Amino acid sequence: MEQIKIFTQLISSELHLPEHGVENTLKLLDEGCTIPFISRYRKERTGGLDEVQITSISDRLERLQEIAKRKETVVKTITEAGKMTAELQKRIDDCWEATTLEDIYLPYKPKRRTRAQVAREQGLEPLAALLMLQREPHPEQAARRFVVGDVPDVTSALKGAQDIIAEQVSEEERSRNQVRAAFHREAFIVSKVVKAKKDTDEAAKYADYFDWEEPLRRCSSHRLLAMRRGENEGILRVSITIDDEEAVNRLQRHYVHGNGACQRLVAEAVEDGYKRLLYPSIETEFANISKEKADEEAINVFTENLRQLLLGAPLGQKRVMGIDPGFRTGCKVVCLDAQGNLLHHEAIFPHPPVNHRMQATVHVQQMITDYHIEAIAIGNGTASRETKEFVEDCIQSLPSLLGEGSGVRLFVVSEDGASVYSASKVAREEFPDEDVTVRGAVSIGRRLMDPLAELVKIDPKSIGVGQYQHDVDQAKLKHSLDQTVESCVNLVGVNLNTASQHLLMYVSGLGPTLAKNIVDYRKENGAFTSRAQLKKVPRLGPAAFQQCAGFLRIPQAKTPLDNSAVHPESYGIVELMAKDQHCTVIDLINDKEKRDAIDIRHYVTTETGLPTLTDIMRELEKPGRDPREQIEEFEFDPNIQTVEDLQEGMELPGIVTNITNFGAFVDIGVHQDGLVHISQLSDKYVSDPTKVVRLHQHVRVRVIGIDLRRNRISLSMKGMGNK
């Protein structure tokens, strides 16, 4: 209980949030409540904290818990060594900063047999103390007393004493903080090419960093991660430097007092301690800190891209044809029903080298007719534009031939990760009798119907958004991505009767085991008719029911609220409102006048406050509404097919395919995305590209640069009127 109070104060101060809300959030997390549940259904207890704030509280809690665990190890080690004092114990108890804790621990930390440790074993610690006092006019004479045993001469005695001083200086907090301050002020990151690798093909992509340096504090996330990747590949040597001479002088001014033989020996020891021990230690610390910061920025960009991708506009339950386009190997075509079930598949060859265009046209038109296709999804990879033009011709000639088809809508869909899905365990379980090409086409078709339901089946790192996702801390990346997927799934809500096991596992309070149990129960007992039936699912107890129920939807349920975001714990309130209006719950949902007549203040209780009541009224207005936008069709400029067709100054339509912290990549239909650098995103200053553009946004761009040799296209959105 005491620790919760400490954590509350620390987190509240760091995040500038009210202590009451932070404390209750910590308690709810401790009770096993999920972040989506807390943010949606416990607003009274948190003071209305949103999901971002609660996630920040949860992340800070994990960090403080790690420090608390580390403190236990530190205290145990120091106590067992017999060096614990009341003052030291208090310093450790009061410390909640990881770097400071490690500084406190460093002098007591078990270490390999250092030069200083050898000198101590030789009995030279008193000589080191004598030198540090700097009062002895003839240190050589004093050192003679220590020439015994393993110490052969005066020079060895003095050298051993200097080793002890060097280690003491390197481990003292004030020394470390002094050098740290210098790194904060003036550190440069320096990158040099390994000469033996300079002319290799692998090194070419790192040419910008062959001889590069810049202030560390100004080094952007993508540049730092690029340099570190080059270092890991053995192409670059990367270091973080400061002015060593000035750093040594500052330390010597602190430790050396006056002039004399002792002072010279101490000055030499301080310089050795800096160069051999202190500088490498702080350089490593700043390398780690800068990498962590770069990781955090890259992860933030990636998670925001993933959020936008998962919340992409769904077409909804329509009969869809999915096409994975190709030239030599043909186009893989699948027909899906409105629930995404596979009805039919075949391959067509409308493009060179096979060129069976007429035959392919007949087959596509027949499939549209036979399976009552309402929309067609075409993957955006190789042969995408050519396939889209071919299908457009098929649709245009369909009405005169078969009397229908003019209402078929055509969409180009990102196929990133489709091949990963098609070879995955999930895909094999869904389609054990089909090959990977069919599974990939199914994934493309389903992504059009519901991007969220389909993309959760794919490792987010394979979806093709973000930057340097394979170079960042993988545990932190996975944690952040899992949180993002969970957030998106619960924001949208899940149809309990159609959701796959993989989608259900991200619902608040469920996880893989309960998701599987729900699917198994559904197979054995048929569709759920009420949320209350969830209590019959094996191992789904009251706690799990409380966490998940509000996020699961049942269309056409016996109780209309089962298809809404109103939590079952609040059904009684809605029923009381209906009773007071002399109507049913369905009447309340359908009649705006009856809802407008309700004064929600009359329904406030100790457990249910105005925030929850306001949410209930909003949900009654549009039960189970989908927060995602409506899907839009898109057309590339028909006159632009390849990079060679481009000219500077051209204004073209495009689709945002990826967002990084240095700009956005836009597909303009030439098989090579162009880059809108951050400086070209807007007429105004932009610090964060995600504030200006969103993934899959339809934009207008201007071509400002074409590099055919490197296959690079530079674009601008300035003055283009994008919204």
Side-chain angles (χ1 to χ4, degrees):
M1 202 64 184
E2 182 63 32
Q3 198 170 76
I4 282 189
K5 288 184 179 178
I6 294 171
F7 288 176
T8 297
Q9 291 168 355
L10 291 168
I11 295 172
S12 172
S13 174
E14 184 181 348
L15 299 180
H16 308 291
L17 295 173
E19 284 193 14
H20 176 74
V22 172
E23 183 176 10
N24 280 339
T25 299
L26 293 178
K27 288 177 180 176
L28 287 164
L29 289 169
D30 187 55
E31 292 167 11
C33 296
T34 67
I35 292 171
F37 176 81
I38 296 169
S39 64
R40 183 148 195 148
Y41 297 113
R42 290 297 179 264
K43 291 179 179 177
E44 285 79 4
R45 288 187 63 180
T46 67
L49 297 180
D50 62 30
E51 192 168 349
V52 174
Q53 292 168 320
I54 294 168
T55 299
S56 296
I57 292 171
S58 176
D59 290 343
R60 294 328 189 263
L61 173 63
E62 286 183 19
R63 192 184 67 199
L64 290 172
Q65 287 173 331
E66 286 173 6
I67 293 174
K69 193 173 180 180
R70 179 64 173 159
K71 284 164 76 168
E72 290 176 7
T73 301
V74 169
V75 169
K76 184 172 181 287
T77 304
I78 297 175
T79 302
E80 288 177 351
K83 296 181 179 179
M84 182 60 77
T85 64
E87 181 185 359
L88 184 56
Q89 180 72 60
K90 187 174 188 312
R91 284 202 68 201
I92 295 169
D93 290 343
D94 293 343
C95 177
W96 290 101
E97 211 283 314
T99 302
T100 304
L101 178 63
E102 294 305 321
D103 280 354
I104 294 171
Y105 182 38
L106 188 57
Y108 309 96
K109 189 176 183 177
K111 48 181 83 75
R112 59 183 174 79
R113 201 158 177 266
T114 63
R115 282 160 48 173
Q117 184 60 34
V118 171
R120 289 190 185 96
E121 292 170 2
Q122 292 171 342
L124 295 173
E125 198 155 22
L127 178 58
L130 186 68
L131 294 181
M132 283 299 285
L133 289 173
Q134 300 172 46
R135 296 172 185 168
E136 182 61 52
H138 305 291
E140 291 84 358
Q141 291 181 10
R144 286 196 183 97
R145 301 198 306 269
F146 296 89
V147 181
V148 293
D150 293 332
V151 183
D153 50 40
V154 168
T155 301
S156 298
L158 291 173
K159 188 69 181 71
Q162 284 181 305
D163 287 341
I164 293 172
I165 293 169
E167 187 170 277
Q168 287 174 343
V169 168
S170 74
E171 291 182 347
E172 282 195 5
E173 284 182 66
R174 57 187 175 182
S175 301
R176 299 181 72 79
N177 286 333
Q178 192 176 97
V179 175
R180 239 180 233 124
F183 269 78
H184 274 298
R185 284 193 310 270
E186 61 196 57
F188 272 73
I189 185 165
V190 179
S191 172
K192 304 285 185 184
V193 67
V194 175
K195 288 184 180 178
K197 297 289 186 72
K198 184 176 182 180
D199 297 321
T200 63
D201 291 340
E202 298 81 21
K205 59 186 174 183
Y206 298 109
D208 291 345
Y209 303 106
F210 282 2
D211 187 15
W212 175 272
E213 71 172 56
E214 67 175 313
L216 180 62
R217 66 179 181 273
R218 292 183 191 163
C219 185
S220 67
S221 165
H222 66 275
R223 287 201 300 273
L224 190 140
L225 290 173
M227 283 185 267
R228 291 301 181 190
R229 178 188 283 182
E231 181 182 40
N232 291 336
E233 293 178 5
I235 293 166
L236 303 175
R237 287 196 181 95
V238 182
S239 59
I240 298 173
T241 65
I242 60 172
D243 185 335
D244 287 339
E245 186 177 347
E246 179 57 30
V248 169
N249 288 338
R250 279 195 291 261
L251 281 173
Q252 288 175 335
R253 286 196 295 271
H254 186 78
Y255 287 101
V256 181
H257 311 296
N259 295 304
C262 274
Q263 284 83 351
R264 283 194 297 276
L265 290 168
V266 172
E268 289 173 3
V270 169
E271 183 173 2
D272 175 54
Y274 169 81
K275 290 183 176 178
R276 183 168 54 87
L277 302 170
L278 187 49
Y279 170 81
S281 173
I282 302 300
E283 184 194 13
T284 299
E285 183 180 304
F286 271 73
N288 292 337
I289 290 170
S290 60
K291 174 65 165 55
E292 286 174 10
K293 183 182 176 185
D295 282 3
E296 185 177 341
E297 288 183 26
I299 289 171
N300 286 342
V301 170
F302 194 11
T303 53
E304 180 55 33
N305 278 342
L306 178 63
R307 177 178 294 277
Q308 293 181 19
L309 194 63
L310 292 176
L311 295 179
L315 179 67
Q317 293 190 327
K318 305 287 185 182
R319 293 181 295 280
V320 168
M321 175 185 289
I323 304 179
D324 185 356
F327 288 116
R328 183 180 56 81
T329 57
C331 301
K332 288 73 180 175
V333 185
V334 297
C335 298
L336 310 174
D337 68 15
Q339 285 70 47
N341 298 310
L342 177 62
L343 303 175
H344 173 78
H345 67 82
E346 64 179 85
I348 58 173
F349 297 85
H351 311 306
V354 180
N355 249 337
H356 289 169
R357 190 177 181 92
M358 184 59 69
Q359 183 185 68
T361 299
V362 171
H363 281 234
V364 168
Q365 291 177 335
Q366 194 66 49
M367 283 185 277
I368 291 173
T369 306
D370 289 350
Y371 297 100
H372 309 290
I373 297 300
E374 298 171 274
I376 299 175
I378 299 172
N380 67 343
T382 303
S384 176
R385 281 197 73 168
E386 293 81 356
T387 303
K388 182 172 182 287
E389 290 167 4
F390 160 71
V391 174
E392 284 174 338
D393 289 344
C394 292
I395 294 173
Q396 285 172 5
S397 60
L398 189 58
S400 59
L401 290 174
L402 303 171
E404 58 177 280
S406 57
V408 178
R409 301 173 69 189
L410 190 58
F411 301 89
V412 175
V413 177
S414 169
E415 62 181 46
D416 286 324
S419 60
V420 174
Y421 160 77
S422 63
S424 69
K425 181 174 180 287
V426 177
R428 290 196 301 273
E429 289 174 350
E430 282 194 280
F431 303 103
D433 301 324
E434 309 297 346
D435 66 22
V436 292
T437 60
V438 173
R439 297 171 191 159
V442 170
S443 179
I444 290 169
R446 285 178 171 177
R447 288 184 195 196
L448 176 62
M449 298 167 73
D450 190 340
L452 178 60
E454 193 61 23
L455 291 173
V456 293
K457 301 174 185 175
I458 303 170
D459 179 356
K461 286 186 292 184
S462 302
I463 296 179
V465 295
Q467 61 184 62
Y468 297 103
Q469 53 262 38
H470 297 284
D471 298 290
V472 302
D473 184 302
Q474 295 300 293
K476 289 182 180 177
L477 177 63
K478 184 179 186 308
H479 174 71
S480 185
L481 295 180
D482 284 347
Q483 281 188 333
T484 301
V485 175
E486 182 182 41
S487 169
C488 293
V489 169
N490 290 288
L491 174 67
V492 172
V494 171
N495 186 325
L496 182 55
N497 286 323
T498 61
S500 67
Q501 178 182 328
H502 213 79
L503 184 59
L504 285 167
M505 65 185 277
Y506 286 105
V507 172
S508 167
L510 293 183
T513 301
L514 289 179
K516 182 178 186 304
N517 290 353
I518 287 173
V519 172
D520 290 345
Y521 182 90
R522 200 168 64 197
K523 288 177 182 176
E524 293 173 13
N525 300 279
F528 286 87
T529 57
S530 73
R531 281 172 170 167
Q533 272 183 277
L534 282 164
K535 296 175 182 178
K536 297 179 181 178
V537 173
R539 299 180 65 180
L540 201 156
F545 178 81
Q546 180 195 55
Q547 295 297 306
C548 75
F551 303 103
L552 295 168
R553 309 278 186 268
I554 307 176
Q556 289 85 47
K558 294 176 183 176
T559 303
L561 296 178
D562 280 351
N563 192 36
S564 75
V566 178
H567 197 281
E569 65 190 10
S570 297
Y571 284 7
I573 296 170
V574 179
E575 288 162 359
L576 181 58
M577 289 176 176
K579 182 181 177 183
D580 291 345
Q581 293 300 314
H582 309 291
C583 67
T584 65
V585 171
I586 294 177
D587 293 335
L588 206 58
I589 291 171
N590 294 332
D591 193 330
K592 184 178 183 299
E593 287 186 10
K594 291 187 182 298
R595 293 196 305 273
D596 290 344
I598 295 172
D599 184 348
I600 59 174
R601 291 173 298 179
H602 294 159
Y603 301 94
V604 172
T605 67
T606 53
E607 293 296 322
T608 306
L610 289 175
T612 294
L613 292 167
T614 301
D615 285 349
I616 289 172
M617 295 307 297
R618 191 180 296 121
E619 193 62 26
L620 291 178
E621 184 181 340
K622 290 183 180 178
R625 87 189 89 189
D626 193 321
R628 295 173 288 184
E629 295 180 352
Q630 294 294 310
I631 196 166
E632 298 176 358
E633 296 178 55
F634 176 82
E635 292 286 342
F636 288 118
D637 188 316
N639 300 311
I640 305 300
Q641 300 287 333
T642 67
V643 175
E644 286 76 15
D645 295 331
L646 296 176
Q647 294 180 12
E648 289 189 17
M650 278 185 171
E651 296 182 0
L652 303 167
I655 300 176
V656 178
T657 58
N658 196 7
I659 303 172
T660 70
N661 61 8
F662 56 85
F665 288 92
V666 176
D667 182 0
I668 54 175
V670 295
H671 308 294
Q672 173 62 45
D673 290 354
L675 173 64
V676 183
H677 188 267
I678 189 171
S679 62
Q680 295 293 328
L681 282 171
S682 171
D683 297 316
K684 300 177 181 177
Y685 172 75
V686 176
S687 60
D688 180 359
T690 62
K691 298 291 191 292
V692 180
V693 289
R694 65 185 185 279
L695 212 58
H696 293 174
Q697 180 182 351
H698 298 174
V699 294
R700 294 283 300 177
V701 294
R702 183 186 302 106
V703 180
I704 59 173
I706 308 160
D707 185 340
L708 292 176
R709 186 178 64 84
R710 295 197 290 177
N711 208 26
R712 290 185 178 179
I713 305 165
S714 298
L715 305 171
S716 175
M717 285 171 49
K718 285 186 173 182
M720 299 304 295
N722 293 295
K723 295 181 181 179

